[in-house]
Amino acid sequence: MGTVLVTERDKLGVVVIEVRGDVDPTDAAALRSALVRAIRHLDPTRVVVDLRGAGHIESEGIGAVVAGADVASDSGVSMTVRDAAPLVAEELLVAGLPRAQVSTAARV
């Protein structure tokens, strides 16, 4: 079971959404909701989805991140994904996120 943590908007308007653990379909719904809520209600300049602590992310989780990116784009908000596992990064790219929006981290 995963956890989605939202860091409130900082002085520069950046909101960080941190994902920890595996993301199953229920967690994916929570992630999607957190992204949409942050974009629509926190008035961010940028949203960062931090996957450093994430484990396995099922397809619904990938879809949630892509949907969040679509909402961000429609709202004029920049969104990036950081510290994705290489396989997750590849899945995000295949799902349509631009390479510039996805960074990977070396995993041990």
Side-chain angles (χ1 to χ4, degrees):
M1 178 105 170
T3 302
V4 177
L5 305 169
V6 179
T7 302
E8 292 297 318
R9 196 172 85 102
D10 69 12
K11 290 186 279 184
L12 299 175
V14 178
V15 172
V16 177
I17 297 177
E18 186 178 342
V19 180
R20 294 183 184 163
D22 295 338
V23 178
D24 64 19
T26 301
D27 302 317
L31 176 57
R32 182 184 305 252
S33 292
L35 284 163
V36 171
R37 207 174 19 242
I39 293 162
R40 293 195 174 147
H41 300 292
L42 296 179
D43 193 29
T45 56
R46 185 165 71 106
V47 172
V48 177
V49 179
D50 185 340
L51 297 180
R52 182 176 338 145
H56 174 73
I57 299 179
E58 293 189 26
S59 60
E60 293 88 351
I62 298 297
V65 174
V66 172
D70 290 342
V71 171
S73 177
D74 291 346
S75 300
V77 175
S78 169
M79 187 179 119
T80 56
V81 177
R82 74 176 174 209
D83 294 334
L87 181 58
V88 171
E90 189 61 35
E91 290 175 359
L92 289 168
L93 296 172
V94 168
L97 282 185
R99 186 165 299 281
Q101 284 184 265
V102 181
S103 72
T104 58
R107 302 288 172 139
V108 180

